Amino acid sequence: MKLGMIGLGRMGAHMAQRLIHGGHQVVGFDPKPETRRDLKGKGVESTDSLAMLVSSLPAPRTLWLMIPSGEPVDGALQELQPLLAAGDTIVDGGNSNYKDTLRRARIFDDCGVGYVDCGTSGGVWGMAEGYSMMIGGSEATVEKLRPVFEALAPAKNRGWGRVGPVGAGHFTKMVHNGIEYGLMQAYAEGFSILQHKSEFGLDLHQVAEIWRHGSVVRSWLLDLTAHALDGNPDMTGIAPYVADSGEGRWAVAEAIDLDVPIPVITLSLIQRLRSRDSESFSDKLLSAMRNEFGGHAVKKA
Amino acid sequence: MKLGMIGLGRMGAHMAQRLIHGGHQVVGFDPKPETRRDLKGKGVESTDSLAMLVSSLPAPRTLWLMIPSGEPVDGALQELQPLLAAGDTIVDGGNSNYKDTLRRARIFDDCGVGYVDCGTSGGVWGMAEGYSMMIGGSEATVEKLRPVFEALAPAKNRGWGRVGPVGAGHFTKMVHNGIEYGLMQAYAEGFSILQHKSEFGLDLHQVAEIWRHGSVVRSWLLDLTAHALDGNPDMTGIAPYVADSGEGRWAVAEAIDLDVPIPVITLSLIQRLRSRDSESFSDKLLSAMRNEFGGHAVKKA
Amino acid sequence: MKLGMIGLGRMGAHMAQRLIHGGHQVVGFDPKPETRRDLKGKGVESTDSLAMLVSSLPAPRTLWLMIPSGEPVDGALQELQPLLAAGDTIVDGGNSNYKDTLRRARIFDDCGVGYVDCGTSGGVWGMAEGYSMMIGGSEATVEKLRPVFEALAPAKNRGWGRVGPVGAGHFTKMVHNGIEYGLMQAYAEGFSILQHKSEFGLDLHQVAEIWRHGSVVRSWLLDLTAHALDGNPDMTGIAPYVADSGEGRWAVAEAIDLDVPIPVITLSLIQRLRSRDSESFSDKLLSAMRNEFGGHAVKKA
Amino acid sequence: MKLGMIGLGRMGAHMAQRLIHGGHQVVGFDPKPETRRDLKGKGVESTDSLAMLVSSLPAPRTLWLMIPSGEPVDGALQELQPLLAAGDTIVDGGNSNYKDTLRRARIFDDCGVGYVDCGTSGGVWGMAEGYSMMIGGSEATVEKLRPVFEALAPAKNRGWGRVGPVGAGHFTKMVHNGIEYGLMQAYAEGFSILQHKSEFGLDLHQVAEIWRHGSVVRSWLLDLTAHALDGNPDMTGIAPYVADSGEGRWAVAEAIDLDVPIPVITLSLIQRLRSRDSESFSDKLLSAMRNEFGGHAVKKA
């Protein structure tokens, strides 16, 4: 198939290359000229505008968005809408909020343009190992794109599937990321206990390697953790500051809306907030309160 | 009554003064000569040794311990044991672990010395407002001490009581302190939300004052919080560092032993640990893991 | 002052009576005829429609809404809008989401109608003890209503205040309720530990009474807890099912939006969700997972 | 090597068979005659007493314990002690608390008997796939047992290692199990969100299969979860009741002792406690408190 890839950042560029490697033709677009130039060296042809991208594709066209969620997606869709015709298909492969996806799909549905949400997991390793894809959309539209998903997935019949109607893909990916937060936090806490037990002189990288084979906690995240600990078991040079890209927040909000208790995923998010709050007002106030009732000394800032 | 107060730190000195004010006679002892000297100025007579303290009391003697839990209590008790006789009574008014109390009471029981554990709450305000006392021991022994408890309590018949056999007093105080952690954390979190909502320009001290009257969250801790916020609503000069004196840990361990889920008290303790862990290894590792799978930038230390 | 009270449920009826007792005139309205009838017996005059209510008030009019948040408030406001004139004032004394309040205030601002949000705490005890009120709105509008707030508050100058512009009142009340969840959960957990420690045979009502006087954990919620434990220390006949009325959810969402970690308030909400989920899917799946890897027996439903 | 396996339950029997398959000779012992009989059919020779087991082994002897932690281990060791001689080695392959291990190793050290703690992960799949082993003990003693570990591990040089002195093995296994709790809870929560989002009609088994390939959350536990969901996506017939075997409790206690905040592992344990507390006293009291202050209806038991 020939398709347009909108957004040639790390994820988009990698996916374009995996598609080309899988026998597909990809025309790319990215607003940054230098990004487009870089990709040319990697075999990905690109155009200078969205309009040119659309006109370079045979009808019915397939356009894959791989851009930051929120306003950037709305901006691109607004620009695309007048350029597309009934029968064309848009795939949003980024981390959009599923509620935005539902809203957007309704708009394109009115124009006869198919809308597919593809929650994509795999990170920087996806180009080599394939992507895990949770897909929402009509059965017919998803089926039309089968060759694309087969090429991007780790194997033809594995790691991808239509999980439900439009929105279901991004919803499932949101939950996936919530789980990811919880898994990461569980490993981080465990290694932190090991690290603080100085009397045993544990080698954290060695422990991670042992666990990678045969243990109940073996996983891909553990493989990566072992890699991160190799050569830097004390995490020297790394600040205790953990960013988040939003899906965890949505997962927490959704669970509360559904009355589903998810304490561990929620706490994982909260710990990330805490990691960025080095001047915690709560903790200062707690210290002041202890002083008030018990006369306990306050540590000075 | 005439009784011996062992330990003339903040709590012991205050209690001695409240007892004297209530018509009792108190002879004190503290290992530090300067502490003994200071107390003389406040009307509390003291002796230079435990032996002198014991010999200065009429039989049957009552000795009230107000010293740090753990080894200091065991040390004092070991020294006291040969000095006491059947019919004497020991009151441990400090924050001992109830399991230590059970062990100690058995030893003194064998010598016919009564043992009473008095969990004492009230902090630096207790001298003026009276102490809340949760008391464990035999009915007869506790009854003998009634005048002492009536003088220390906020009112003759209020704020104190025999809650069960030996150990029950310190057990109840341990749970009291666990609750205290949870209450404090709940207020601290709430005020932190208010503090971060800059667009409303809230005056935290004013809000605390409003809540003190008529609201569902009014409490003594809120009174103290209002006082702490008065004049220093931004907690300037205070480090986000919260100590803990151990009872919260025991409460968490006890609840787990009893299979009782206490998520909020437990989290309140964990947040205090986190407040003292400004170089969180967990958070560094989480940051490294995000870099491994997603290529996300790591914040440098 | 003479004012209209819209909504004569428990809260509205109580407030109307406290206002009348404080020397004000109140005309009420409630869509349910029987509610209006009941109130007549308690000295609160009421009208049969919103239009009649508005026309029965002298200009500039003051209308106090005490109705369930969300659609009911929007419905009442829509009906009121054409009936009001510049200079009139609306007070929303219910638990509206502050974002709704901001939206509604803008609409009335355009018509010259003042809009005040009054977060009201005090529950069923407010009629007798007075209400704690956190008020948002312009300084001039709030000042005009001073006599009303003075009458509703526990004391003329206590328990109420203008905390900021429109929205600030409901925002502060939302945080107040979040704190309330945390406080309640902390007490509930502590009493649960006591209840499970059967060897000490603790009397939970007695412990609560002791703590009410002189202890660090004394509070109004503890007073109520003591009352609830009196006569029913085992909570016989009460299901382990805890409802929530929404403000806690908003507080959690707001804190996450502000990047403020509030683990304890959040967990308090999550535990309420869990209390209503007696067929927890998570727990069933955990049991199945244990069986998968360890061959551990699954408890049958 | 020829060695004695004490305890022929699921784990011991599987390990004996894997060792025999790996070319070792194993003589077993289990107090239950029927267990011994069953094993004979699977090629594992066994004796009728510990004394016979010891005398059937060539000096220096190696005895591997695979029995429940706590008293059973102490009982077996007490019986073994007089039967062993300097140069012999004991391996505790079960889930002993590392503090017990330190105590026991000191006793055997005095007799010149080597003591090795081997934290063993792999569950019912270990026989086929190999066990992950975290080993504590002196370098020389562990090295002597190398052929045994190589046979039990998933591969000769993978999945096992001496992580430190005696105690370090069980310590590391304890932390491993803590992580396991956190991982399991994170998956369970995520799938619970999916299960409650009825509007998307998600097939949980399908989602698990998609995630198994290429996603960030792929893991062995996810493989097992997919298996558990296959054919029973609603967990029909399974009670929401999650047992725990103790290591998670020790991990939580250890972290608190070390001042290491591990909120997610701790909450995972607490949720298990909650799953077994269908008559939560906390929740009943919370419901009663809501009734006290707000007049909210209590759900009847």
Side-chain angles (χ1 to χ4, degrees), chain C residues 5 7-18 39 42 44 66 127 131:
Chain C
M5 176 69 68
L8 299 172
R10 197 163 33 212
M11 285 291 284
H14 282 185
M15 293 176 87
Q17 288 171 80
R18 188 169 173 94
L39 262 284
K42 294 172 184 161
V44 185
M66 214 62 212
M127 183 166 71
Y131 298 93

Side-chain angles (χ1 to χ4, degrees), chain B residues 54 61 76-85 108 111:
Chain B
V54 171
R61 289 159 292 212
L77 291 177
Q78 224 166 334
E79 214 181 320
L80 275 177
Q81 202 178 342
L83 304 171
L84 298 184
F108 283 93
C111 325

Side-chain angles (χ1 to χ4, degrees), chain A residues 7 15 19 61 71 75 90 94 100 102 104 128 135 159 190 202 214-215 250-251 256 263 285 288-289:
Chain A
M15 293 178 88
L19 283 167
R61 288 159 293 210
E71 285 178 32
I90 290 171
D100 288 332
L102 291 172
R104 292 162 184 159
I135 304 161
L202 298 163
S215 92
W250 302 336
I256 292 176
L285 186 53
M289 286 162 87

Side-chain angles (χ1 to χ4, degrees), chain A residues 119-123 125-126 129-134 153-154 158-160 172-173 176-177 179-180 183 219-221 224, chain B residues 293, chain D residues 187 207-219 222-223:
Chain A
T120 312
S121 182
W125 297 82
E129 305 197 359
Y131 297 93
S132 183
M133 289 168 292
M134 308 128 236
R158 289 187 161 180
W160 74 276
T172 304
K173 178 58 172 23
H176 166 282
N177 283 27
I179 293 173
E180 177 189 301
L183 302 181
S219 73
W220 190 62
L221 273 168
L224 301 181
Chain B
F293 72 74
Chain D
Y187 284 118
V207 171
E209 289 293 340
I210 292 173
W211 287 348
R212 289 182 62 207
H213 305 283
S215 92
V216 173
V217 303
R218 64 192 190 257
S219 73
L222 181 62
D223 297 346

Side-chain angles (χ1 to χ4, degrees), chain B residues 98 121-122 129-130 132-134 154 158-163 165-168 171-172 175-176 179-180 182-183 185-187 189-190 192-194 196-197 200 202 206-207 210-211 213-221 254 258 260 262-265 267-268 271, chain C residues 98 121-122 129-130 132-134 154 158-163 165-168 171-172 175-176 179-180 182-183 185-187 189-190 192-194 196-197 200 202 206-207 210-211 213-221 254 258 260 262-265 267-268 271:
Chain B
Y98 83 96
S121 183
E129 304 197 0
S132 184
M133 289 169 291
M134 308 129 237
R158 288 187 163 180
W160 73 275
R162 177 187 173 272
V163 297
V166 160
F171 184 87
T172 304
V175 172
H176 166 282
I179 293 173
E180 177 189 301
L183 303 181
Q185 180 73 25
Y187 284 118
E189 291 178 7
S192 190
I193 304 175
L194 297 178
H196 281 77
K197 192 69 176 179
F200 284 138
L202 299 163
Q206 181 209 16
V207 171
I210 292 173
W211 287 348
H213 305 283
S215 92
V216 172
V217 303
R218 64 193 190 256
S219 72
W220 189 63
L221 273 168
E254 183 71 28
L258 291 170
V260 178
I262 58 161
V264 152
I265 292 176
L267 254 290
S268 300
Q271 293 310 304
Chain C
Y98 82 96
S121 182
E129 305 197 359
S132 184
M133 288 168 292
M134 308 130 235
R158 289 187 161 178
W160 75 276
R162 178 188 173 270
V163 296
V166 159
F171 183 87
T172 304
V175 172
H176 166 282
I179 292 173
E180 177 188 301
L183 302 181
Q185 180 73 25
Y187 284 117
E189 291 178 8
S192 190
I193 303 175
L194 298 178
H196 281 76
K197 192 68 174 179
F200 284 138
L202 299 162
Q206 182 209 16
V207 172
I210 291 173
W211 287 349
H213 305 283
S215 92
V216 173
V217 303
R218 65 193 189 257
S219 73
W220 190 63
L221 273 168
E254 183 71 29
L258 291 169
V260 177
I262 57 161
V264 152
I265 292 175
L267 255 290
S268 300
Q271 293 310 305

